[in-house]
Amino acid sequence: MKLLEAVLKTGNRMNVGTIRGGARAFKLDALLKLADVKGTDGKTTLLHFFVKEIVRSEGIKASERIMGQKSENRTEEEKEESYKRIGLELVSDLSAELCNVKKTATIDLDVLASSISNLSSGVANMQNLVKGLLCEDEKSESFVISMKWFLNYAERKVQDLQGCEGRVMARVKEITEYFHGDESKEESNPLRIFVIVRDFLEMVDNVCNELKRSSTKSPRTIRLQ
């Protein structure tokens, strides 16, 4: 959320005096455009800037909680390195915390809905077949009784799946409307919001890995185009 707040504030500052200034929200797909705004070096992006700022601010807070008064005995360079190391660990954990978002982004809803529908049809067909079976002896009667018990159990489970499907899709709709506002037209992929977050997390992971690999250098001011 802190990263989203930083993106919103920066966007408002960049759009001061325009109709886009003073915005109170933005659509999540705007996050994927952060890597398109590059600095004068042609490599550093707006996303780098946001990640570095969050890494440092979170690193300062966590470092002060951990070190307390001991931090006063360190040089400014040592403090900055500590902020960067601790902050990077915290920001890098974001991807792990949202691992279920990545899994959700890979789901094909059409395949899932088709599978549940096929299960329902299969259970109905089996029930009709069992109803037509004749119990000629004790053995066949026992089989029919077992199958009826199993099919009743299977029917309840399929109904549970259908109910879960409806509840999940209702929650997905709520989440999408919360982050994207009222959707005037139906989204072709209802899970697109999870795809956006997954792709954004991958971008953040790449930036964090770059920062981890980079050697300690004095900070430079990079102008954004």
Side-chain angles (χ1 to χ4, degrees):
M1 290 301 295
K2 292 178 181 178
L3 184 57
L4 297 181
E5 290 174 2
V7 172
L8 181 60
K9 289 179 181 178
T10 302
N12 282 332
R13 289 175 184 172
M14 295 175 67
N15 290 310
V16 169
T18 70
I19 58 175
R20 295 182 179 181
R24 299 178 60 184
F26 64 91
K27 291 189 176 182
L28 284 187
D29 48 9
L31 295 173
L32 302 182
K33 300 177 182 179
L34 295 178
D36 296 335
V37 183
K38 297 184 178 180
T40 53
D41 63 354
K43 297 180 180 179
T44 305
T45 67
L46 189 56
L47 180 61
H48 283 80
F49 170 76
F50 285 128
V51 172
K52 287 179 180 179
E53 288 299 307
I54 296 296
V55 163
R56 189 174 188 279
S57 63
E58 292 303 300
I60 290 175
K61 294 176 183 177
S63 181
E64 293 302 323
R65 287 197 302 268
I66 296 171
M67 300 298 295
Q69 294 298 323
K70 295 180 181 179
S71 63
E72 299 300 326
N73 300 323
R74 297 180 296 169
T75 65
E76 289 302 317
E77 184 177 349
E78 289 174 334
K79 290 181 181 180
E80 288 297 327
E81 279 303 305
S82 176
Y83 301 155
K84 179 180 178 181
R85 176 178 55 80
I86 297 175
L88 271 174
E89 291 177 1
L90 294 173
V91 176
S92 297
D93 286 343
L94 179 63
S95 185
E97 292 177 9
L98 298 177
C99 61
N100 288 332
V101 172
K102 295 182 178 181
K103 294 178 181 178
T104 303
T106 64
I107 295 176
D108 188 324
L109 279 181
D110 290 335
V111 173
L112 181 61
S114 177
S115 297
I116 295 176
S117 177
N118 289 338
L119 280 173
S120 180
S121 298
V123 170
N125 291 335
M126 287 296 295
Q127 287 174 329
N128 291 330
L129 179 61
V130 170
K131 287 179 181 178
L133 292 178
L134 299 177
C135 299
E136 299 177 350
D137 51 39
E138 185 177 340
K139 187 175 182 179
S140 61
E141 182 180 4
S142 177
F143 171 76
V144 170
I145 292 174
S146 296
M147 284 300 299
K148 285 182 177 180
W149 180 90
F150 168 74
L151 289 172
N152 286 334
Y153 172 80
E155 184 179 25
R156 292 195 301 272
K157 287 299 180 181
V158 171
Q159 289 174 347
D160 288 343
L161 283 175
Q162 292 171 329
C164 287
E165 180 187 16
R167 289 191 295 272
V168 168
M169 293 311 301
R171 292 300 303 273
V172 169
K173 186 175 184 295
E174 289 177 7
I175 292 173
T176 301
E177 290 180 349
Y178 178 81
F179 284 103
H180 277 201
D182 295 332
E183 296 291 291
S184 58
K185 55 183 180 180
E186 186 175 351
E187 173 62 55
S188 58
N189 178 14
L191 299 183
R192 180 172 174 269
I193 190 169
F194 296 95
V195 176
I196 293 172
V197 175
R198 179 201 62 189
D199 292 346
F200 177 67
L201 289 174
E202 291 177 355
M203 292 165 57
V204 171
D205 285 341
N206 290 335
V207 173
C208 287
N209 290 332
E210 288 179 22
L211 294 177
K212 290 177 181 179
R213 291 193 298 266
S214 66
S215 57
T216 304
K217 295 181 181 179
S218 57
R220 295 181 301 158
T221 301
I222 298 177
R223 293 174 299 151
L224 295 174
Q225 294 178 334

